[in-house]
Amino acid sequence: MQKKRTFAASILHTTEMTDSIKLSLPHMGGSEQHWINEAFRTGWVVPLGPNVDEFERLLGEYIGAPGRVVALSAGTAALHLGLVMLGVGKGDEVICQSFTFSASANPILYQGASPVFVGSESYTWNMDPAALDACIADRVRLTGRKPKAIIPVHLYGMPVKMDEIMEVAQKWDIPALEDAAEALGSEYKGKKCGSFGRYGALSFNGNKIITTSGGGALVCPDEQSAARVKFYATQARENRPYYYHEVVGYNYRMSNVCAGIGIGQMEVLPERVERRRAIHALYTELLASVPGVKVMQNPSAAYDSNFWLSTILIDPTLGRTPDEVRLALAAEDIETRLLWRPMHMQPVFADAPYYSAGGVEERLFDHGLCLPSGSVLTDQQVERTADAIRRALQ
Ligand SMILES: *Cc1c(COP(=O)(O)O)cnc(C)c1O
């Protein structure tokens, strides 16, 4: 068998044995091409149109937010417009989970606001509610003003301790902008992630649970705010016969061609979530006999992660760092990745205040590893990965 495969070939021939095992590849369902062709046949090769409307309708139905989902060019754009809608501007502070991808925090800087980072609890690995409460109290004491928004993140698909976070948010009357970019399909107490905060951001990047090749969506509190998000996303053109602008606009709408991919992906989304959960269950079973390795689990029945990525913690007493394991697997053409390096440890955010909950996320970064988890993976590939981990730790 050929060693080098093209990217497309590795995606399309998913059932074939492959040499290379990747972290999270796109996985087409079959009807995406039909909807792309529809865009071409009808001439809607523009950033609006019937595919965009239908994709939004399907998402709204799935999330439980009918008529309140706006399809955008990226998850980052969704987070940015969420902040715009919440009135975040120059001089404001926005609280963000430290343990996340930089795209959760960058839009705070786009608005000229300042991020304040909060540490994680070890139960879900997400924002610690007590640390959030202490952080807000301290910011109010120091600055005389409340932070303008809170960004909790359902990392790797695991729901945030949502009740506790929303309780703190309500106590201080600060809106939450939920980063559900990795959590499409995840549920907390039977309710879909992305539908808890005032706003919720989704991502359809190529590595996410479903893809539009690149794209995102914002879940809004009502139809009026959804209409306003569409207005901002299409250059904030006022309703006049000439171009007239009262506020700053953005070019953030989703292409009707990309939305065609999204419609096809929505048909298979439940299967994709099921497959990621099955891969997680298989890792759990295969790695149960490897001492010092723990696969991250739903902490209780209230949490139902989509397991976008399966993750493990490696006991430091084994004498192998996650990076050594990563390199050993890379030598066998198996891609793994270290957990997110917390934002308060990133040079770009060096000046931002940080409220620790005991340094949980720093230890997770030191001891954790993300495993190949794409729904394209075969059981054999998961078994090969688990075997390689076992050997790397011997
Ligand atoms: C992917 C991701 C984003 C950004 O989404 P894009 O569609 O890539 O812009 C934001 N937050 C988190 C946690 C993500 O994983």
Side-chain angles (χ1 to χ4, degrees), residues 14-17 275 279 282 374-383:
T14 55
T15 50
E16 193 183 308
M17 271 290 287
R275 180 63 192 149
I279 288 168
L282 189 52
S375 45
V376 295
L377 294 179
T378 61
D379 283 2
Q380 289 77 8
Q381 289 176 316
V382 174
E383 282 159 16

Side-chain angles (χ1 to χ4, degrees), residues 74-76 79 100-101 103-104 153 179 181-182 203 205 208 215:
T76 311
L79 287 160
T100 187
F101 176 46
S104 305
V153 189
D179 184 343
E182 301 178 357
S203 168
N205 198 0
K208 296 285 160 54

Side-chain angles (χ1 to χ4, degrees), residues 9-209:
S10 68
I11 295 161
L12 293 173
H13 303 286
T14 55
T15 50
E16 193 183 308
M17 271 290 287
T18 59
D19 296 317
S20 178
I21 298 179
K22 299 290 187 203
L23 204 68
S24 183
L25 287 177
H27 189 181
M28 293 300 107
S31 76
E32 291 84 358
Q33 194 73 57
H34 164 79
W35 294 106
I36 293 172
N37 291 347
E38 271 302 289
F40 279 75
R41 193 182 64 76
T42 56
W44 287 97
V45 187
V46 284
L48 80 165
N51 282 350
V52 176
D53 296 343
E54 177 62 4
F55 183 44
E56 286 174 344
R57 193 187 66 76
L58 292 168
L59 280 170
E61 211 166 79
Y62 183 81
I63 290 275
R68 299 192 277 117
V69 177
V70 181
L72 299 167
S73 56
T76 311
L79 287 160
H80 187 189
L81 288 188
L83 294 178
V84 169
M85 290 300 289
L86 293 174
V88 170
K90 206 167 156 52
D92 289 331
E93 287 191 336
V94 173
I95 298 175
C96 183
Q97 184 166 316
S98 181
F99 192 43
T100 187
F101 176 46
S102 65
S104 305
N106 281 333
I108 301 168
L109 298 185
Y110 302 167
Q111 282 309 96
S114 307
V116 175
F117 293 110
V118 167
S120 289
E121 31 81 7
S122 55
Y123 197 68
T124 71
W125 298 3
N126 295 317
M127 188 183 276
D128 183 280
L132 171 66
D133 192 42
C135 164
I136 299 171
D138 198 52
R139 296 324 293 169
V140 169
R141 186 179 62 79
L142 287 173
T143 69
R145 294 173 60 200
K146 282 191 300 186
K148 207 67 185 260
I150 303 164
I151 306 179
V153 189
H154 309 286
L155 217 59
Y156 304 117
M158 182 61 69
V160 170
K161 278 187 174 178
M162 213 63 229
D163 279 352
E164 290 89 334
I165 292 290
M166 290 310 287
E167 200 177 298
V168 176
Q170 274 148 23
K171 170 183 156 189
W172 292 95
D173 192 23
I174 302 173
L177 166 56
E178 225 182 314
D179 184 343
E182 301 178 357
L184 183 60
S186 297
E187 290 184 5
Y188 174 76
K189 297 188 174 173
K191 192 164 151 29
K192 289 277 189 313
C193 286
S195 66
F196 290 92
R198 178 88 52 91
Y199 288 89
L202 304 172
S203 168
F204 315 110
N205 198 0
N207 60 347
K208 296 285 160 54
I209 198 135

Side-chain angles (χ1 to χ4, degrees), residues 121-126 155-161 186-188 276-290 293-313 339 364 369 371:
E121 31 81 7
S122 55
Y123 197 68
T124 71
W125 298 3
N126 295 317
L155 217 59
Y156 304 117
M158 182 61 69
V160 170
K161 278 187 174 178
S186 297
E187 290 184 5
Y188 174 76
R276 297 236 182 197
R277 286 177 177 154
I279 288 168
H280 171 265
L282 189 52
Y283 276 127
T284 301
E285 182 192 323
L286 293 167
L287 294 171
S289 57
V290 182
V293 171
K294 255 179 42 201
V295 181
M296 176 59 168
Q297 302 293 333
N298 285 315
S300 82
Y303 299 81
D304 197 5
S305 175
N306 64 7
F307 289 110
W308 170 59
L309 293 185
S310 289
T311 54
I312 56 170
L313 288 178
L339 300 191
L364 291 171
L369 196 65
L371 306 184

